[in-house]
Amino acid sequence: MAQSVKLNFSAPRRGLPPKHFADLSHDERVAKLAELGLPKFRAKQLAQHYYVHYTNNVEDMTDVPASARQDIQDALFPELMTPIKHSGTDDGETTKSLWRLHDGTLLESVLMRYPGRATLCISSQAGCGMACPFCATGQGGLDRNLSTAEIVEQVRNAAKEMAAEGGRLSNIVFMGMGEPLANYKRVVQAVRQITAPAPFGFGMSMRNVTVSTVGVAPAIRKLADEDLSCTLAVSLHTPDDELRDTLVPINNRWSVEEVLDAARYYVDKTSRRVSIEYALIRDKNDQDFRADMLGRKLHQALGSKVHVNVIPLNPTPGSEWDAAPKARQDEFVRRVQAQGVPCTVRDTKGQEIAAACGQLAAEERDEDSGDAKEPAGV
Ligand code: SAH
């Protein structure tokens, strides 16, 4: 029952990794370099290598004096994530990377290539404490928050991968593991580095960065007050509190109305259109009356500043829930649109490699024994 579900907002069980270049402000980088007896201008030089050439290997930074490279590597670029596995589907257009972090925690990120753009789906926490019953990540609980650099490193690695393919990473969605607004400070720091112009960031467009939340209303308001204008996605999944209390347990704390009020505040502050995520589940949230109510409430709360993304439910292990049939989905979409609210079905990618929305569980499969190991520490 929803009331007995324990939401986990508490401090991480285990410590964050060693400080990395991407955890530090420019001044902190300069101070670190000074400790190593190195001049201030090196900070900008290192940023150029990191954010523009996507390298964290100081040996490759040939304009850095050879005698200082090891010191810089140790002090500023500790290895934060080791690749464990890389799997692909959709003819290689979708790839999922499994990483091991310094303390054994496992992490996944998914890179999707489309004509003219490439989107990386990143994780903000290892595991998730929000306990949504249809999401595989939610079933394992929260392992720990990711550090800023662990978030930024996912981006750097994918940007490097895309550059090697002759493409460019253009979009970031915080729709991997975790609730980004429950790791607020680090996620905001990461968004700043993703969007800051080179050489102090990856220079990606604010509108191409999407932060997706279960609806932590006060944090949505706080985000609106930052000088950011990233895209906000709200995982609503149903317009009524009765069902949402069970589908998205945090609704017991912040109701549909409070979440939509906060979304309205975000629109007013940023002028950005909010995305509403709606995982369509057969016989659960796919009825005509819910489509009508959704369209009505969204139109009332957000006017033209909203877009609904219907996501056909992706199957997760052990769940009997299923996507709604195609005809039901079409009718649902039609009814939402009839209320004057744009609504489209999200093209799902990566199901075959358990890389689609809600399927990231960071299980390391031992190919020989077929054992699925629990992520360390869970
Ligand atoms: N915690 C954040 C971001 C992670 S999930 C959030 O909830 O928004 C990214 C999106 O995938 C969310 O909208 C989430 O509800 C959705 N999702 C989770 N499990 C899913 C599943 N099994 N099928 C389809 N979408 C799912």
Side-chain angles (χ1 to χ4, degrees), residues 128 134-136 174-176 178-180 212-214 233 235 237 277 279 311-316 357-359:
C128 185
F134 55 88
C135 175
F174 281 83
M175 293 190 184
E179 167 50 39
S212 180
T213 176
V214 285
S235 297
H237 304 313
E277 310 298 298
I311 318 166
L313 187 81
N314 293 307
T316 59
C357 291
Q359 294 187 316

mmCIF file with all atom_site columns, all heavy atoms in Angstrom, residues 128 134-136 174-176 178-180 212-214 233 235 237 277 279 311-316 357-359, ligand 1:
data_model
loop_
_atom_site.group_PDB
_atom_site.id
_atom_site.type_symbol
_atom_site.label_atom_id
_atom_site.label_alt_id
_atom_site.label_comp_id
_atom_site.label_asym_id
_atom_site.label_entity_id
_atom_site.label_seq_id
_atom_site.pdbx_PDB_ins_code
_atom_site.Cartn_x
_atom_site.Cartn_y
_atom_site.Cartn_z
_atom_site.occupancy
_atom_site.B_iso_or_equiv
_atom_site.pdbx_formal_charge
_atom_site.auth_seq_id
_atom_site.auth_comp_id
_atom_site.auth_asym_id
_atom_site.auth_atom_id
_atom_site.pdbx_PDB_model_num
ATOM   1   N N   . CYS A 1 128 ? 17.218 4.227  -6.769  1.00 0.00 ? 128 CYS A N   1
ATOM   2   C CA  . CYS A 1 128 ? 16.235 5.312  -6.595  1.00 0.00 ? 128 CYS A CA  1
ATOM   3   C C   . CYS A 1 128 ? 15.390 5.017  -5.370  1.00 0.00 ? 128 CYS A C   1
ATOM   4   O O   . CYS A 1 128 ? 15.032 3.866  -5.119  1.00 0.00 ? 128 CYS A O   1
ATOM   5   C CB  . CYS A 1 128 ? 15.342 5.413  -7.832  1.00 0.00 ? 128 CYS A CB  1
ATOM   6   S SG  . CYS A 1 128 ? 14.199 6.815  -7.786  1.00 0.00 ? 128 CYS A SG  1
ATOM   7   N N   . PHE A 1 134 ? 6.073  0.496  -11.051 1.00 0.00 ? 134 PHE A N   1
ATOM   8   C CA  . PHE A 1 134 ? 6.226  0.036  -12.436 1.00 0.00 ? 134 PHE A CA  1
ATOM   9   C C   . PHE A 1 134 ? 7.642  0.229  -12.960 1.00 0.00 ? 134 PHE A C   1
ATOM   10  O O   . PHE A 1 134 ? 7.921  -0.073 -14.113 1.00 0.00 ? 134 PHE A O   1
ATOM   11  C CB  . PHE A 1 134 ? 5.232  0.787  -13.343 1.00 0.00 ? 134 PHE A CB  1
ATOM   12  C CG  . PHE A 1 134 ? 5.366  2.275  -13.223 1.00 0.00 ? 134 PHE A CG  1
ATOM   13  C CD1 . PHE A 1 134 ? 6.252  2.964  -14.024 1.00 0.00 ? 134 PHE A CD1 1
ATOM   14  C CD2 . PHE A 1 134 ? 4.636  2.985  -12.269 1.00 0.00 ? 134 PHE A CD2 1
ATOM   15  C CE1 . PHE A 1 134 ? 6.414  4.331  -13.897 1.00 0.00 ? 134 PHE A CE1 1
ATOM   16  C CE2 . PHE A 1 134 ? 4.786  4.356  -12.141 1.00 0.00 ? 134 PHE A CE2 1
ATOM   17  C CZ  . PHE A 1 134 ? 5.670  5.028  -12.956 1.00 0.00 ? 134 PHE A CZ  1
ATOM   18  N N   . CYS A 1 135 ? 8.525  0.757  -12.134 1.00 0.00 ? 135 CYS A N   1
ATOM   19  C CA  . CYS A 1 135 ? 9.885  1.087  -12.581 1.00 0.00 ? 135 CYS A CA  1
ATOM   20  C C   . CYS A 1 135 ? 10.892 0.143  -11.936 1.00 0.00 ? 135 CYS A C   1
ATOM   21  O O   . CYS A 1 135 ? 10.903 -0.021 -10.708 1.00 0.00 ? 135 CYS A O   1
ATOM   22  C CB  . CYS A 1 135 ? 10.200 2.533  -12.204 1.00 0.00 ? 135 CYS A CB  1
ATOM   23  S SG  . CYS A 1 135 ? 11.882 3.022  -12.576 1.00 0.00 ? 135 CYS A SG  1
ATOM   24  N N   . ALA A 1 136 ? 11.732 -0.463 -12.759 1.00 0.00 ? 136 ALA A N   1
ATOM   25  C CA  . ALA A 1 136 ? 12.697 -1.447 -12.243 1.00 0.00 ? 136 ALA A CA  1
ATOM   26  C C   . ALA A 1 136 ? 13.683 -0.796 -11.276 1.00 0.00 ? 136 ALA A C   1
ATOM   27  O O   . ALA A 1 136 ? 14.046 -1.382 -10.248 1.00 0.00 ? 136 ALA A O   1
ATOM   28  C CB  . ALA A 1 136 ? 13.455 -2.094 -13.408 1.00 0.00 ? 136 ALA A CB  1
ATOM   29  N N   . PHE A 1 174 ? 17.732 13.652 -17.966 1.00 0.00 ? 174 PHE A N   1
ATOM   30  C CA  . PHE A 1 174 ? 17.934 13.028 -16.653 1.00 0.00 ? 174 PHE A CA  1
ATOM   31  C C   . PHE A 1 174 ? 16.789 12.050 -16.436 1.00 0.00 ? 174 PHE A C   1
ATOM   32  O O   . PHE A 1 174 ? 15.906 12.265 -15.620 1.00 0.00 ? 174 PHE A O   1
ATOM   33  C CB  . PHE A 1 174 ? 17.952 14.082 -15.541 1.00 0.00 ? 174 PHE A CB  1
ATOM   34  C CG  . PHE A 1 174 ? 19.252 14.834 -15.416 1.00 0.00 ? 174 PHE A CG  1
ATOM   35  C CD1 . PHE A 1 174 ? 19.520 15.930 -16.223 1.00 0.00 ? 174 PHE A CD1 1
ATOM   36  C CD2 . PHE A 1 174 ? 20.217 14.452 -14.482 1.00 0.00 ? 174 PHE A CD2 1
ATOM   37  C CE1 . PHE A 1 174 ? 20.715 16.638 -16.099 1.00 0.00 ? 174 PHE A CE1 1
ATOM   38  C CE2 . PHE A 1 174 ? 21.418 15.152 -14.354 1.00 0.00 ? 174 PHE A CE2 1
ATOM   39  C CZ  . PHE A 1 174 ? 21.662 16.242 -15.171 1.00 0.00 ? 174 PHE A CZ  1
ATOM   40  N N   . MET A 1 175 ? 16.805 10.987 -17.241 1.00 0.00 ? 175 MET A N   1
ATOM   41  C CA  . MET A 1 175 ? 15.738 9.998  -17.154 1.00 0.00 ? 175 MET A CA  1
ATOM   42  C C   . MET A 1 175 ? 16.301 8.600  -16.943 1.00 0.00 ? 175 MET A C   1
ATOM   43  O O   . MET A 1 175 ? 15.649 7.594  -17.212 1.00 0.00 ? 175 MET A O   1
ATOM   44  C CB  . MET A 1 175 ? 14.889 10.020 -18.432 1.00 0.00 ? 175 MET A CB  1
ATOM   45  C CG  . MET A 1 175 ? 14.094 11.293 -18.605 1.00 0.00 ? 175 MET A CG  1
ATOM   46  S SD  . MET A 1 175 ? 12.914 11.148 -19.945 1.00 0.00 ? 175 MET A SD  1
ATOM   47  C CE  . MET A 1 175 ? 12.237 12.797 -20.005 1.00 0.00 ? 175 MET A CE  1
ATOM   48  N N   . GLY A 1 176 ? 17.538 8.552  -16.477 1.00 0.00 ? 176 GLY A N   1
ATOM   49  C CA  . GLY A 1 176 ? 18.123 7.257  -16.154 1.00 0.00 ? 176 GLY A CA  1
ATOM   50  C C   . GLY A 1 176 ? 17.749 6.888  -14.732 1.00 0.00 ? 176 GLY A C   1
ATOM   51  O O   . GLY A 1 176 ? 16.626 7.138  -14.283 1.00 0.00 ? 176 GLY A O   1
ATOM   52  N N   . GLY A 1 178 ? 17.392 7.091  -10.802 1.00 0.00 ? 178 GLY A N   1
ATOM   53  C CA  . GLY A 1 178 ? 17.376 8.096  -9.743  1.00 0.00 ? 178 GLY A CA  1
ATOM   54  C C   . GLY A 1 178 ? 16.399 9.229  -9.948  1.00 0.00 ? 178 GLY A C   1
ATOM   55  O O   . GLY A 1 178 ? 15.843 9.430  -11.025 1.00 0.00 ? 178 GLY A O   1
ATOM   56  N N   . GLU A 1 179 ? 16.171 9.956  -8.862  1.00 0.00 ? 179 GLU A N   1
ATOM   57  C CA  . GLU A 1 179 ? 15.307 11.138 -8.877  1.00 0.00 ? 179 GLU A CA  1
ATOM   58  C C   . GLU A 1 179 ? 16.225 12.364 -8.813  1.00 0.00 ? 179 GLU A C   1
ATOM   59  O O   . GLU A 1 179 ? 16.796 12.668 -7.754  1.00 0.00 ? 179 GLU A O   1
ATOM   60  C CB  . GLU A 1 179 ? 14.353 11.087 -7.676  1.00 0.00 ? 179 GLU A CB  1
ATOM   61  C CG  . GLU A 1 179 ? 13.609 12.380 -7.388  1.00 0.00 ? 179 GLU A CG  1
ATOM   62  C CD  . GLU A 1 179 ? 12.919 13.007 -8.616  1.00 0.00 ? 179 GLU A CD  1
ATOM   63  O OE1 . GLU A 1 179 ? 12.357 12.276 -9.450  1.00 0.00 ? 179 GLU A OE1 1
ATOM   64  O OE2 . GLU A 1 179 ? 12.989 14.245 -8.731  1.00 0.00 ? 179 GLU A OE2 1
ATOM   65  N N   . PRO A 1 180 ? 16.368 13.075 -9.945  1.00 0.00 ? 180 PRO A N   1
ATOM   66  C CA  . PRO A 1 180 ? 17.333 14.177 -9.975  1.00 0.00 ? 180 PRO A CA  1
ATOM   67  C C   . PRO A 1 180 ? 17.097 15.229 -8.891  1.00 0.00 ? 180 PRO A C   1
ATOM   68  O O   . PRO A 1 180 ? 18.046 15.757 -8.327  1.00 0.00 ? 180 PRO A O   1
ATOM   69  C CB  . PRO A 1 180 ? 17.168 14.783 -11.376 1.00 0.00 ? 180 PRO A CB  1
ATOM   70  C CG  . PRO A 1 180 ? 16.137 13.998 -12.081 1.00 0.00 ? 180 PRO A CG  1
ATOM   71  C CD  . PRO A 1 180 ? 15.724 12.838 -11.247 1.00 0.00 ? 180 PRO A CD  1
ATOM   72  N N   . SER A 1 212 ? 13.941 15.379 -15.412 1.00 0.00 ? 212 SER A N   1
ATOM   73  C CA  . SER A 1 212 ? 12.665 14.685 -15.241 1.00 0.00 ? 212 SER A CA  1
ATOM   74  C C   . SER A 1 212 ? 12.464 14.330 -13.773 1.00 0.00 ? 212 SER A C   1
ATOM   75  O O   . SER A 1 212 ? 13.345 13.751 -13.139 1.00 0.00 ? 212 SER A O   1
ATOM   76  C CB  . SER A 1 212 ? 12.678 13.416 -16.094 1.00 0.00 ? 212 SER A CB  1
ATOM   77  O OG  . SER A 1 212 ? 11.458 12.721 -15.964 1.00 0.00 ? 212 SER A OG  1
ATOM   78  N N   . THR A 1 213 ? 11.295 14.688 -13.246 1.00 0.00 ? 213 THR A N   1
ATOM   79  C CA  . THR A 1 213 ? 11.069 14.477 -11.813 1.00 0.00 ? 213 THR A CA  1
ATOM   80  C C   . THR A 1 213 ? 9.742  13.781 -11.526 1.00 0.00 ? 213 THR A C   1
ATOM   81  O O   . THR A 1 213 ? 8.779  13.922 -12.276 1.00 0.00 ? 213 THR A O   1
ATOM   82  C CB  . THR A 1 213 ? 11.095 15.818 -11.042 1.00 0.00 ? 213 THR A CB  1
ATOM   83  O OG1 . THR A 1 213 ? 10.767 15.584 -9.661  1.00 0.00 ? 213 THR A OG1 1
ATOM   84  C CG2 . THR A 1 213 ? 10.103 16.829 -11.608 1.00 0.00 ? 213 THR A CG2 1
ATOM   85  N N   . VAL A 1 214 ? 9.696  13.048 -10.417 1.00 0.00 ? 214 VAL A N   1
ATOM   86  C CA  . VAL A 1 214 ? 8.453  12.449 -9.939  1.00 0.00 ? 214 VAL A CA  1
ATOM   87  C C   . VAL A 1 214 ? 7.479  13.528 -9.436  1.00 0.00 ? 214 VAL A C   1
ATOM   88  O O   . VAL A 1 214 ? 6.310  13.243 -9.218  1.00 0.00 ? 214 VAL A O   1
ATOM   89  C CB  . VAL A 1 214 ? 8.683  11.463 -8.770  1.00 0.00 ? 214 VAL A CB  1
ATOM   90  C CG1 . VAL A 1 214 ? 9.279  10.158 -9.246  1.00 0.00 ? 214 VAL A CG1 1
ATOM   91  C CG2 . VAL A 1 214 ? 9.525  12.083 -7.675  1.00 0.00 ? 214 VAL A CG2 1
ATOM   92  N N   . ALA A 1 233 ? 10.538 18.002 -17.086 1.00 0.00 ? 233 ALA A N   1
ATOM   93  C CA  . ALA A 1 233 ? 9.569  16.942 -17.373 1.00 0.00 ? 233 ALA A CA  1
ATOM   94  C C   . ALA A 1 233 ? 9.010  16.463 -16.042 1.00 0.00 ? 233 ALA A C   1
ATOM   95  O O   . ALA A 1 233 ? 9.761  16.280 -15.077 1.00 0.00 ? 233 ALA A O   1
ATOM   96  C CB  . ALA A 1 233 ? 10.231 15.788 -18.115 1.00 0.00 ? 233 ALA A CB  1
ATOM   97  N N   . SER A 1 235 ? 6.771  13.507 -14.244 1.00 0.00 ? 235 SER A N   1
ATOM   98  C CA  . SER A 1 235 ? 6.222  12.165 -14.423 1.00 0.00 ? 235 SER A CA  1
ATOM   99  C C   . SER A 1 235 ? 4.893  12.087 -13.691 1.00 0.00 ? 235 SER A C   1
ATOM   100 O O   . SER A 1 235 ? 4.843  11.752 -12.510 1.00 0.00 ? 235 SER A O   1
ATOM   101 C CB  . SER A 1 235 ? 7.213  11.134 -13.872 1.00 0.00 ? 235 SER A CB  1
ATOM   102 O OG  . SER A 1 235 ? 8.401  11.205 -14.622 1.00 0.00 ? 235 SER A OG  1
ATOM   103 N N   . HIS A 1 237 ? 1.715  10.513 -14.853 1.00 0.00 ? 237 HIS A N   1
ATOM   104 C CA  . HIS A 1 237 ? 1.197  9.140  -14.998 1.00 0.00 ? 237 HIS A CA  1
ATOM   105 C C   . HIS A 1 237 ? -0.283 8.949  -14.698 1.00 0.00 ? 237 HIS A C   1
ATOM   106 O O   . HIS A 1 237 ? -0.851 7.922  -15.090 1.00 0.00 ? 237 HIS A O   1
ATOM   107 C CB  . HIS A 1 237 ? 2.026  8.120  -14.202 1.00 0.00 ? 237 HIS A CB  1
ATOM   108 C CG  . HIS A 1 237 ? 3.468  8.131  -14.550 1.00 0.00 ? 237 HIS A CG  1
ATOM   109 N ND1 . HIS A 1 237 ? 3.917  8.122  -15.851 1.00 0.00 ? 237 HIS A ND1 1
ATOM   110 C CD2 . HIS A 1 237 ? 4.585  8.178  -13.778 1.00 0.00 ? 237 HIS A CD2 1
ATOM   111 C CE1 . HIS A 1 237 ? 5.244  8.164  -15.858 1.00 0.00 ? 237 HIS A CE1 1
ATOM   112 N NE2 . HIS A 1 237 ? 5.678  8.205  -14.622 1.00 0.00 ? 237 HIS A NE2 1
ATOM   113 N N   . GLU A 1 277 ? 5.113  13.411 -18.465 1.00 0.00 ? 277 GLU A N   1
ATOM   114 C CA  . GLU A 1 277 ? 5.365  12.012 -18.850 1.00 0.00 ? 277 GLU A CA  1
ATOM   115 C C   . GLU A 1 277 ? 4.190  11.163 -18.362 1.00 0.00 ? 277 GLU A C   1
ATOM   116 O O   . GLU A 1 277 ? 3.715  11.330 -17.228 1.00 0.00 ? 277 GLU A O   1
ATOM   117 C CB  . GLU A 1 277 ? 6.668  11.504 -18.221 1.00 0.00 ? 277 GLU A CB  1
ATOM   118 C CG  . GLU A 1 277 ? 7.863  12.418 -18.427 1.00 0.00 ? 277 GLU A CG  1
ATOM   119 C CD  . GLU A 1 277 ? 8.236  12.598 -19.874 1.00 0.00 ? 277 GLU A CD  1
ATOM   120 O OE1 . GLU A 1 277 ? 8.581  11.604 -20.522 1.00 0.00 ? 277 GLU A OE1 1
ATOM   121 O OE2 . GLU A 1 277 ? 8.159  13.740 -20.370 1.00 0.00 ? 277 GLU A OE2 1
ATOM   122 N N   . ALA A 1 279 ? 3.311  7.148  -18.497 1.00 0.00 ? 279 ALA A N   1
ATOM   123 C CA  . ALA A 1 279 ? 3.533  5.743  -18.874 1.00 0.00 ? 279 ALA A CA  1
ATOM   124 C C   . ALA A 1 279 ? 2.158  5.083  -18.929 1.00 0.00 ? 279 ALA A C   1
ATOM   125 O O   . ALA A 1 279 ? 1.461  5.000  -17.911 1.00 0.00 ? 279 ALA A O   1
ATOM   126 C CB  . ALA A 1 279 ? 4.428  5.051  -17.849 1.00 0.00 ? 279 ALA A CB  1
ATOM   127 N N   . ILE A 1 311 ? 4.224  7.263  -22.841 1.00 0.00 ? 311 ILE A N   1
ATOM   128 C CA  . ILE A 1 311 ? 5.258  6.227  -22.989 1.00 0.00 ? 311 ILE A CA  1
ATOM   129 C C   . ILE A 1 311 ? 4.575  4.870  -22.823 1.00 0.00 ? 311 ILE A C   1
ATOM   130 O O   . ILE A 1 311 ? 4.058  4.584  -21.746 1.00 0.00 ? 311 ILE A O   1
ATOM   131 C CB  . ILE A 1 311 ? 6.351  6.343  -21.886 1.00 0.00 ? 311 ILE A CB  1
ATOM   132 C CG1 . ILE A 1 311 ? 6.756  7.800  -21.642 1.00 0.00 ? 311 ILE A CG1 1
ATOM   133 C CG2 . ILE A 1 311 ? 7.546  5.471  -22.208 1.00 0.00 ? 311 ILE A CG2 1
ATOM   134 C CD1 . ILE A 1 311 ? 7.564  8.010  -20.366 1.00 0.00 ? 311 ILE A CD1 1
ATOM   135 N N   . PRO A 1 312 ? 4.507  4.063  -23.875 1.00 0.00 ? 312 PRO A N   1
ATOM   136 C CA  . PRO A 1 312 ? 3.948  2.726  -23.677 1.00 0.00 ? 312 PRO A CA  1
ATOM   137 C C   . PRO A 1 312 ? 4.772  2.016  -22.601 1.00 0.00 ? 312 PRO A C   1
ATOM   138 O O   . PRO A 1 312 ? 5.999  2.044  -22.665 1.00 0.00 ? 312 PRO A O   1
ATOM   139 C CB  . PRO A 1 312 ? 4.134  2.048  -25.043 1.00 0.00 ? 312 PRO A CB  1
ATOM   140 C CG  . PRO A 1 312 ? 4.426  3.159  -26.004 1.00 0.00 ? 312 PRO A CG  1
ATOM   141 C CD  . PRO A 1 312 ? 5.055  4.273  -25.217 1.00 0.00 ? 312 PRO A CD  1
ATOM   142 N N   . LEU A 1 313 ? 4.097  1.468  -21.595 1.00 0.00 ? 313 LEU A N   1
ATOM   143 C CA  . LEU A 1 313 ? 4.833  0.881  -20.466 1.00 0.00 ? 313 LEU A CA  1
ATOM   144 C C   . LEU A 1 313 ? 5.851  -0.152 -20.953 1.00 0.00 ? 313 LEU A C   1
ATOM   145 O O   . LEU A 1 313 ? 5.522  -1.036 -21.736 1.00 0.00 ? 313 LEU A O   1
ATOM   146 C CB  . LEU A 1 313 ? 3.870  0.188  -19.501 1.00 0.00 ? 313 LEU A CB  1
ATOM   147 C CG  . LEU A 1 313 ? 4.578  -0.298 -18.223 1.00 0.00 ? 313 LEU A CG  1
ATOM   148 C CD1 . LEU A 1 313 ? 4.755  0.838  -17.231 1.00 0.00 ? 313 LEU A CD1 1
ATOM   149 C CD2 . LEU A 1 313 ? 3.832  -1.451 -17.575 1.00 0.00 ? 313 LEU A CD2 1
ATOM   150 N N   . ASN A 1 314 ? 7.073  -0.015 -20.478 1.00 0.00 ? 314 ASN A N   1
ATOM   151 C CA  . ASN A 1 314 ? 8.097  -1.026 -20.780 1.00 0.00 ? 314 ASN A CA  1
ATOM   152 C C   . ASN A 1 314 ? 8.027  -2.108 -19.719 1.00 0.00 ? 314 ASN A C   1
ATOM   153 O O   . ASN A 1 314 ? 7.918  -1.801 -18.526 1.00 0.00 ? 314 ASN A O   1
ATOM   154 C CB  . ASN A 1 314 ? 9.484  -0.383 -20.769 1.00 0.00 ? 314 ASN A CB  1
ATOM   155 C CG  . ASN A 1 314 ? 9.650  0.615  -21.905 1.00 0.00 ? 314 ASN A CG  1
ATOM   156 O OD1 . ASN A 1 314 ? 9.414  0.288  -23.060 1.00 0.00 ? 314 ASN A OD1 1
ATOM   157 N ND2 . ASN A 1 314 ? 10.030 1.837  -21.579 1.00 0.00 ? 314 ASN A ND2 1
ATOM   158 N N   . PRO A 1 315 ? 8.108  -3.352 -20.137 1.00 0.00 ? 315 PRO A N   1
ATOM   159 C CA  . PRO A 1 315 ? 8.009  -4.419 -19.153 1.00 0.00 ? 315 PRO A CA  1
ATOM   160 C C   . PRO A 1 315 ? 9.206  -4.429 -18.195 1.00 0.00 ? 315 PRO A C   1
ATOM   161 O O   . PRO A 1 315 ? 10.318 -4.095 -18.589 1.00 0.00 ? 315 PRO A O   1
ATOM   162 C CB  . PRO A 1 315 ? 8.002  -5.693 -20.010 1.00 0.00 ? 315 PRO A CB  1
ATOM   163 C CG  . PRO A 1 315 ? 8.503  -5.296 -21.353 1.00 0.00 ? 315 PRO A CG  1
ATOM   164 C CD  . PRO A 1 315 ? 8.283  -3.830 -21.507 1.00 0.00 ? 315 PRO A CD  1
ATOM   165 N N   . THR A 1 316 ? 8.942  -4.751 -16.944 1.00 0.00 ? 316 THR A N   1
ATOM   166 C CA  . THR A 1 316 ? 10.027 -4.893 -15.970 1.00 0.00 ? 316 THR A CA  1
ATOM   167 C C   . THR A 1 316 ? 9.904  -6.264 -15.311 1.00 0.00 ? 316 THR A C   1
ATOM   168 O O   . THR A 1 316 ? 8.798  -6.817 -15.236 1.00 0.00 ? 316 THR A O   1
ATOM   169 C CB  . THR A 1 316 ? 9.963  -3.796 -14.887 1.00 0.00 ? 316 THR A CB  1
ATOM   170 O OG1 . THR A 1 316 ? 8.694  -3.888 -14.226 1.00 0.00 ? 316 THR A OG1 1
ATOM   171 C CG2 . THR A 1 316 ? 10.111 -2.407 -15.464 1.00 0.00 ? 316 THR A CG2 1
ATOM   172 N N   . CYS A 1 357 ? 13.026 3.356  -20.708 1.00 0.00 ? 357 CYS A N   1
ATOM   173 C CA  . CYS A 1 357 ? 12.557 4.025  -19.483 1.00 0.00 ? 357 CYS A CA  1
ATOM   174 C C   . CYS A 1 357 ? 12.133 3.000  -18.445 1.00 0.00 ? 357 CYS A C   1
ATOM   175 O O   . CYS A 1 357 ? 11.321 2.128  -18.734 1.00 0.00 ? 357 CYS A O   1
ATOM   176 C CB  . CYS A 1 357 ? 11.344 4.896  -19.776 1.00 0.00 ? 357 CYS A CB  1
ATOM   177 S SG  . CYS A 1 357 ? 11.684 6.322  -20.765 1.00 0.00 ? 357 CYS A SG  1
ATOM   178 N N   . GLY A 1 358 ? 12.619 3.151  -17.254 1.00 0.00 ? 358 GLY A N   1
ATOM   179 C CA  . GLY A 1 358 ? 12.171 2.313  -16.153 1.00 0.00 ? 358 GLY A CA  1
ATOM   180 C C   . GLY A 1 358 ? 12.783 0.929  -16.125 1.00 0.00 ? 358 GLY A C   1
ATOM   181 O O   . GLY A 1 358 ? 12.452 0.115  -15.274 1.00 0.00 ? 358 GLY A O   1
ATOM   182 N N   . GLN A 1 359 ? 13.705 0.662  -17.050 1.00 0.00 ? 359 GLN A N   1
ATOM   183 C CA  . GLN A 1 359 ? 14.290 -0.688 -17.075 1.00 0.00 ? 359 GLN A CA  1
ATOM   184 C C   . GLN A 1 359 ? 15.722 -0.722 -16.543 1.00 0.00 ? 359 GLN A C   1
ATOM   185 O O   . GLN A 1 359 ? 16.351 -1.778 -16.530 1.00 0.00 ? 359 GLN A O   1
ATOM   186 C CB  . GLN A 1 359 ? 14.279 -1.243 -18.513 1.00 0.00 ? 359 GLN A CB  1
ATOM   187 C CG  . GLN A 1 359 ? 12.871 -1.482 -19.036 1.00 0.00 ? 359 GLN A CG  1
ATOM   188 C CD  . GLN A 1 359 ? 12.881 -2.176 -20.381 1.00 0.00 ? 359 GLN A CD  1
ATOM   189 O OE1 . GLN A 1 359 ? 13.652 -1.831 -21.256 1.00 0.00 ? 359 GLN A OE1 1
ATOM   190 N NE2 . GLN A 1 359 ? 12.028 -3.173 -20.542 1.00 0.00 ? 359 GLN A NE2 1
HETATM 191 N N1  . SAH B 2 .   ? 12.874 9.861  -11.348 1.00 0.00 ? 1   SAH B N1  1
HETATM 192 C C1  . SAH B 2 .   ? 12.681 10.635 -12.533 1.00 0.00 ? 1   SAH B C1  1
HETATM 193 C C2  . SAH B 2 .   ? 13.532 10.221 -13.713 1.00 0.00 ? 1   SAH B C2  1
HETATM 194 C C3  . SAH B 2 .   ? 13.694 8.748  -14.018 1.00 0.00 ? 1   SAH B C3  1
HETATM 195 S S1  . SAH B 2 .   ? 12.508 7.837  -14.882 1.00 0.00 ? 1   SAH B S1  1
HETATM 196 C C4  . SAH B 2 .   ? 11.196 10.612 -12.927 1.00 0.00 ? 1   SAH B C4  1
HETATM 197 O O1  . SAH B 2 .   ? 10.457 9.848  -12.376 1.00 0.00 ? 1   SAH B O1  1
HETATM 198 O O2  . SAH B 2 .   ? 10.813 11.421 -13.773 1.00 0.00 ? 1   SAH B O2  1
HETATM 199 C C5  . SAH B 2 .   ? 12.239 8.507  -16.453 1.00 0.00 ? 1   SAH B C5  1
HETATM 200 C C6  . SAH B 2 .   ? 10.810 8.291  -16.934 1.00 0.00 ? 1   SAH B C6  1
HETATM 201 O O3  . SAH B 2 .   ? 10.544 6.900  -17.199 1.00 0.00 ? 1   SAH B O3  1
HETATM 202 C C7  . SAH B 2 .   ? 9.799  8.698  -15.894 1.00 0.00 ? 1   SAH B C7  1
HETATM 203 O O4  . SAH B 2 .   ? 8.753  9.402  -16.489 1.00 0.00 ? 1   SAH B O4  1
HETATM 204 C C8  . SAH B 2 .   ? 9.324  7.357  -15.368 1.00 0.00 ? 1   SAH B C8  1
HETATM 205 O O5  . SAH B 2 .   ? 8.113  7.430  -14.743 1.00 0.00 ? 1   SAH B O5  1
HETATM 206 C C9  . SAH B 2 .   ? 9.311  6.536  -16.637 1.00 0.00 ? 1   SAH B C9  1
HETATM 207 N N2  . SAH B 2 .   ? 9.223  5.093  -16.399 1.00 0.00 ? 1   SAH B N2  1
HETATM 208 C C10 . SAH B 2 .   ? 9.632  4.417  -15.326 1.00 0.00 ? 1   SAH B C10 1
HETATM 209 N N3  . SAH B 2 .   ? 9.381  3.096  -15.459 1.00 0.00 ? 1   SAH B N3  1
HETATM 210 C C11 . SAH B 2 .   ? 8.806  2.943  -16.669 1.00 0.00 ? 1   SAH B C11 1
HETATM 211 C C12 . SAH B 2 .   ? 8.346  1.812  -17.397 1.00 0.00 ? 1   SAH B C12 1
HETATM 212 N N4  . SAH B 2 .   ? 8.427  0.588  -16.892 1.00 0.00 ? 1   SAH B N4  1
HETATM 213 N N5  . SAH B 2 .   ? 7.832  2.017  -18.624 1.00 0.00 ? 1   SAH B N5  1
HETATM 214 C C13 . SAH B 2 .   ? 7.760  3.275  -19.144 1.00 0.00 ? 1   SAH B C13 1
HETATM 215 N N6  . SAH B 2 .   ? 8.189  4.364  -18.510 1.00 0.00 ? 1   SAH B N6  1
HETATM 216 C C14 . SAH B 2 .   ? 8.712  4.221  -17.287 1.00 0.00 ? 1   SAH B C14 1
#
